[in-house]
Amino acid sequence: MADQDVSWMRLALAEAERGRGAVEPNPMVGAVVVREDTLVSLGHHARFGGPHAEAVALRAAGDAAQGATLYVTLEPCCHHGKTPPCTDAILATGIRRVVVAVRDPFPKVAGGGIKALRDAGVQVDIGIEADSARRLLAPYLKRLHTGRPYVTAKWAMTLDGKTAVASGDSRWISGPRSRALVHEVRGRMDGILVGIGTVLADDPQLTARPPGPRIPVRIILDRKARLPLDSRLVCSARELPVWVVVHELAPPERRAALVDAGCTLLEFEGSAALPIPALLDELGRRGLTNLLVEGGGQILGAFLDAGEVDAVDVFIAPRLEGGTHPYTPIRGKGQTQMCDALPLEHQDVSIVDGDIRLQGTLPRRWLTCE
């Protein structure tokens, strides 16, 4: 039975993945109904405000749910929100057993869903594929526990670790297919963040092409409000949002010009250095769940120094550049000993038309909290 539980829960996790980019700030959730070791139905939370995974799977199962087992990647809700409680739907169908990957730490659930099912006589088992479920739920769990968005650091570099040549030219390090995958990632994000140096060097659009399920906010760290008014970002600010993070002492005329052009200013005060945690707090308050940080090296270094890089998505091109210039992916303070270098967990390596794509996560305490 344990092996079968693992197999069915993995199917539920794969189903949950189908909601990525469409359900946030809600969690991605998948559900599978099984009866007599046979798949009856499956479902996932497909869009924010839409039916939950359990309701979708149970509706598809119909009368066949009677006496069946429901596998669900997150504890069923037991409160009225945008949809009715999933526990009510489960009890109404006569499900005999519910297998839950992880408890939901959301205060209005927090074990209440499991208790409601057990009190009604339903067998509930918890913890099957829990680690995999927590990794899938990481953006939801981080925002719930810290109030901050989940930060993915993305860059492309040559095999010898360069993100540009000495002149600053970086087009293109990775191949067309790798760049297409980056656009897919962008289309699932709530925000894309770069520093003003990247904007001045590349004049990027920071959009997903073609568009994905989400329209990310373009966020520029620009302490002195130097963002050019004729840049592609500013020229499109009235169609697609641009937030410019500036110091309160930035020239007033520059700040006013950016606002007049349609940009939103986020002002910070105090030291010259940008307070990364405070910025993430503000982005969380503004509703961001997933943030993609694309650089440059000083910006990525600042996030790493602040302990606020949660995952990386790196494209390594089979090119050798050489040189001693500072165009490297992550700068900042760094570590004084190699043994202190941060380990990457749960690595996923693939080959994309010759480029190496490496994805992984950094250890996070809140990932194991319930």
Side-chain angles (χ1 to χ4, degrees):
M1 179 60 71
D3 289 343
Q4 293 174 359
D5 284 344
V6 169
S7 296
W8 291 123
M9 187 61 77
R10 286 177 177 173
L11 179 60
L13 288 166
E15 185 70 9
E17 177 68 36
R18 297 177 62 189
R20 186 180 294 277
V23 303
E24 292 81 359
N26 281 357
M28 292 176 283
V29 182
V32 172
V33 177
V34 176
R35 184 172 181 176
E36 296 178 354
D37 300 329
T38 300
L39 175 64
V40 174
S41 65
L42 43 75
H44 67 281
H45 185 33
R47 60 178 178 84
F48 179 70
H52 288 188
E54 302 94 316
V56 174
L58 292 171
R59 186 181 304 118
D63 293 341
Q66 180 74 35
T69 296
L70 172 69
Y71 294 84
V72 61
T73 57
L74 183 67
E75 176 183 3
C77 67
C78 53
H79 66 288
H80 283 273
K82 293 184 178 295
T83 62
C86 288
T87 49
D88 289 356
I90 293 169
L91 294 175
T93 59
I95 285 285
R96 173 183 61 84
R97 177 177 178 241
V98 176
V99 182
V100 177
V102 291
R103 289 181 173 87
D104 187 349
F106 184 63
K108 290 185 178 181
V109 184
I114 293 169
K115 183 178 185 300
L117 293 174
R118 285 177 171 166
D119 287 350
V122 176
Q123 177 184 344
V124 181
D125 297 312
I126 310 165
I128 301 296
E129 288 294 288
D131 288 344
S132 297
R134 289 191 186 100
R135 291 199 298 273
L136 182 74
L137 292 163
Y140 169 74
L141 294 175
K142 182 183 181 184
R143 189 154 178 232
L144 198 59
H145 285 291
T146 71
R148 298 171 182 170
Y150 188 80
V151 176
T152 299
K154 169 264 163 186
W155 67 88
M157 67 182 184
T158 62
L159 192 58
D160 56 336
K162 301 299 196 310
T163 56
V165 296
S167 67
D169 177 54
S170 61
R171 296 183 178 177
W172 296 101
I173 295 173
S174 56
R177 179 56 185 151
S178 294
R179 298 198 297 275
L181 289 173
V182 170
H183 282 282
E184 289 182 15
V185 172
R186 284 179 173 182
R188 298 192 296 266
M189 293 287 163
D190 297 302
I192 302 169
L193 183 148
V194 300
I196 185 61
T198 295
V199 176
L200 295 176
D202 298 338
D203 191 22
Q205 298 180 68
L206 301 182
T207 55
R209 302 184 296 277
R214 307 191 82 75
I215 299 176
V217 177
R218 284 93 52 84
I219 305 168
I220 316 304
L221 303 191
D222 183 15
R223 190 171 71 90
K224 298 180 180 179
R226 293 187 292 157
L227 182 61
L229 298 180
D230 61 352
S231 66
R232 293 196 288 181
L233 286 164
V234 175
C235 290
S236 62
R238 296 193 186 281
E239 290 74 44
L240 298 171
V242 174
W243 296 353
V244 187
V245 184
V246 301
H247 193 275
E248 62 176 350
L249 299 180
E253 67 279 7
R254 291 293 307 163
R255 287 184 286 161
L258 290 172
V259 171
D260 289 344
C263 299
T264 297
L265 299 191
L266 307 183
E267 297 187 6
F268 69 97
E269 58 186 16
S271 66
L274 175 68
I276 299 296
L279 171 62
L280 292 176
D281 287 340
E282 179 61 24
L283 296 182
R285 283 192 290 269
R286 289 173 179 258
L288 274 66
T289 299
N290 283 287
L291 176 67
L292 184 67
V293 179
E294 294 199 6
Q298 291 180 333
I299 299 300
L300 286 168
F303 273 83
L304 192 68
D305 289 342
E308 291 294 349
V309 174
D310 301 306
V312 301
D313 194 350
V314 183
F315 293 86
I316 306 169
R319 300 170 180 262
L320 297 172
E321 190 224 314
T324 59
H325 58 76
Y327 288 108
T328 55
I330 298 181
R331 299 176 70 181
K333 297 177 181 178
Q335 305 296 333
T336 57
Q337 298 185 70
M338 186 56 70
C339 62
D340 295 326
L342 300 178
L344 200 63
E345 298 181 334
H346 310 298
Q347 305 96 333
D348 184 14
V349 180
S350 57
I351 304 297
V352 184
D353 290 348
D355 295 334
I356 300 170
R357 186 184 191 183
L358 174 61
Q359 298 168 281
T361 59
L362 279 77
R364 288 291 178 261
R365 179 190 58 79
W366 46 259
L367 197 57
T368 58
C369 295
E370 290 191 1

